[in-house]
Structures are given as C-alpha cells and as structure tokens.
Amino acid sequence: MTTYDDRASLTDLTATVERVRSSVEGVIEGKPEVVRLSLTVLLAEGHLLIEDVPGVGKTMLAKALARSIDCSVRRIQFTPDLLPSDITGVSIWDQQRRDFEFKPGAIFAQIVIGDEINRASPKTQSALLESMEERQVTIDGQSYELPSPFMVVATQNPVEMEGTYPLPEAQRDRFMARVSIGYPSPEAELQMLDVHGGASPLDDLQPVAHAHEIVKLVDAVRGVHVAEAVRRYAVDLVAATRTHPDLRLGASPRATLHLLRAAKASAALGGRDYALPDDVQNLAVAVLAHRLLPTAQAQLNRRTSEQVVEEILQRTPVPATPQQQRAYGLGDGAQAYGQQPRRL
C-alpha cells in the first residue's frame, strides 16, 4: 500500500486544484459541483462528456479547464465531413526522403476538446476509441504514444438529434463521467451578465498550473488507498445495474474501474489519502448513468438511467462510516478503511 511519508503530495494537490478551480469558476458562474467533477475526472485520468442544451456553457467549461493548465490544447469541431485521419493523423509520402512521414492529427494534444461530438459519422467517432482507452494511436501498423496528461472533453446536444449520430455504447463507456451543466440560478445569471457583458473572461484567463504538476498529482491520486469494504460497495452498485428490470444493458467492468478511480480522486480533493463510501456514492450517477440502456417499457414510463442509479443507491447496503465504526466499538474509523488517521 502506498503511503505518504511527507504528505506533501496531497497538500500540493489541494493547493494546485484550488487554483485551477478558482480559475474555472471565474468563467463558469454558480456551478461549483460541475467544476469539481471536471477536476475529479482530470486527476482520475478519465475523459469527460458534457451533455446539455445549447447555450449553457458546455464549450466554455471545456475551454476554461484547458486554458487554466499550461499544456497543449486542440479543439476539434465535429462535422459530418470530418475524416478519421483529421483526428488521428496520416502518413504522407516525402519526395526528398523517399519515405512516408507521419503527420500527427488533432488528437496529439494533452487536452482535446471535441465540440458536438455526435455530429460526426460513426466511422470518425471510432477514431477516438484507441486513443481514449490505450492513450496511443496506430497508423499503418505503427503506434504513437499520446502526451501525458491526456484528456478528452467532448460536448453534445441531446435535444437536437436531426443530422446527428448517437454515440455507440462502446464509446460512451470510455467516458469516465457525464455531466450536465444546467441553467444557472437567477443570481448566477445576473452575475454572468456583469462578467461576460463586456468581454469574454476567457480572453484574460491565464494558466495557473503546469502539465508536469498535473502528472505528479495524478501519481498522488493513484496512491490513495481504497479498503476492501469500499471496493466491494462499488462492485455491488455496478452489479445491481446488470440485473435491474428497468435496464437492458448494465454497467461494464470498465465502469467499476472508473468509479473506483474517480472515488480516489474525490478523496484526494477532499484532503484524504483513503477513500470512503461517500466518495463512491457522490460519483455513482455521473459515472454510471450514461452507460446504461433502459428497457422499452422503462422509456415508456419515462424512467431515466439517473433515476435507476439513484434507486440502486438507496437499495444497496452502505459500509459503516468511520463515525459509525467508532460508535459501534469497532475501533478507529480510518483504520477500518485500512489507513491510519492523519491530518492532511
């Protein structure tokens, strides 16, 4: 088990993430939970799908996150005529060298923004599959590694489906989490008019963290401890989706892994080097719901995947919290999760 003898890793993580969070929240008004989830996915080495109606700031969120980190950024506008080679790259014959030379595509960046991803054809969408899972691109039998950190932030509009191609289940499963920004509160919208009324705050947004810092923080998140009880809880939640009568497709083992990684990142953001069941609970809907397919009857009854996950959360027994462990006389709660209590 990884321990933090100097505890500087998580301390630095908290400070760095706080700078990035403040930077992004200066652009996205009144949505702290959305910003936190975005940072959680970044530190958990995942990819984020932002799905919401037009005009609520989907692309703005992706750009604000990308510009807050000093790293390479590419934006891909997905259109029906976009080709797979536009994303991955292509080998071109060099007359002088008399050999093929690889020209990298837009995927070769540390943060890739895919705008309106469901407007491209399935053939083009599939060009992202290898890069999102294996963090490499294979062209003409040659594999090219992608830079680190690497994150795909994709947006899509769920209400305008004419002329679009819904993401296949295999690709939706590669996104660690899906988030919907939603409409702002009247107070936040009024503040937005003051901030965005004259000029876009993106114009003045400066990087507050470097890419190498993010890589170190990702390593720190990997070392967060997850006890057997918490791992079992995550497995039970995912297994319940595979037998639920309202679902014709449950969550995959990849979903379990993503839920665990996201819980570790959430614990680190909270200043802890051990995960709790609360971390799993708080992320279950965002990590699992977009992977599930309701049955026809559930759709007729207007049952959503989010509602099913919420129901599963209510029915699945939760491991005892540290406070309950102490109250039941089972010893220190932090030790029950396999970690010595410490103040970070």
Side-chain angles (χ1 to χ4, degrees), residues 188-205:
E189 194 163 4
L190 184 61
Q191 185 178 0
M192 181 196 70
L193 296 179
D194 294 334
V195 176
H196 297 252
S200 173
L202 283 174
D203 298 337
D204 299 326
L205 199 62

Side-chain angles (χ1 to χ4, degrees), residues 187-235:
E187 294 77 12
E189 194 163 4
L190 184 61
Q191 185 178 0
M192 181 196 70
L193 296 179
D194 294 334
V195 176
H196 297 252
S200 173
L202 283 174
D203 298 337
D204 299 326
L205 199 62
Q206 298 296 325
V208 295
H210 296 280
H212 65 84
E213 291 182 284
I214 301 300
V215 173
K216 291 181 179 179
L217 299 184
V218 167
D219 289 337
V221 168
R222 290 174 182 169
V224 172
H225 177 70
V226 184
E228 174 67 24
V230 181
R231 295 199 301 269
R232 172 62 60 181
Y233 181 53
V235 170

Side-chain angles (χ1 to χ4, degrees), residues 37-38 46 80 95-96 144 157 196 204-205 277 280-281 309 340:
L37 178 60
S38 303
Q95 293 285 358
Q96 295 182 346
Y144 303 89
N157 174 7
H196 297 252
D204 299 326
L205 199 62
V280 177
Q281 275 188 321
V309 176
Q340 291 295 328

Side-chain angles (χ1 to χ4, degrees), residues 19 21 69 83-84 116 124 152 161 166 179 217 261 278 290 307 314 323:
R19 295 199 305 270
R21 183 195 62 78
I69 304 171
L83 299 176
E116 298 287 349
T124 302
V152 175
M161 303 306 295
V179 61
L217 299 184
R261 289 177 178 174
D278 288 350
H290 66 286
Q307 291 173 336
Q314 294 176 4
Q323 292 79 9

Side-chain angles (χ1 to χ4, degrees), residues 16 29 65 76 91 115 142 147 189 206 215 231-232 243 246 280 309 315 317 332 334 340:
T16 302
E29 306 289 341
L65 179 62
I76 307 174
S91 295
D115 199 14
Q142 180 68 36
E189 194 163 4
Q206 298 296 325
V215 173
R231 295 199 301 269
R232 172 62 60 181
T243 58
D246 287 339
V280 177
V309 176
R315 292 183 176 181
D332 186 89
Q340 291 295 328

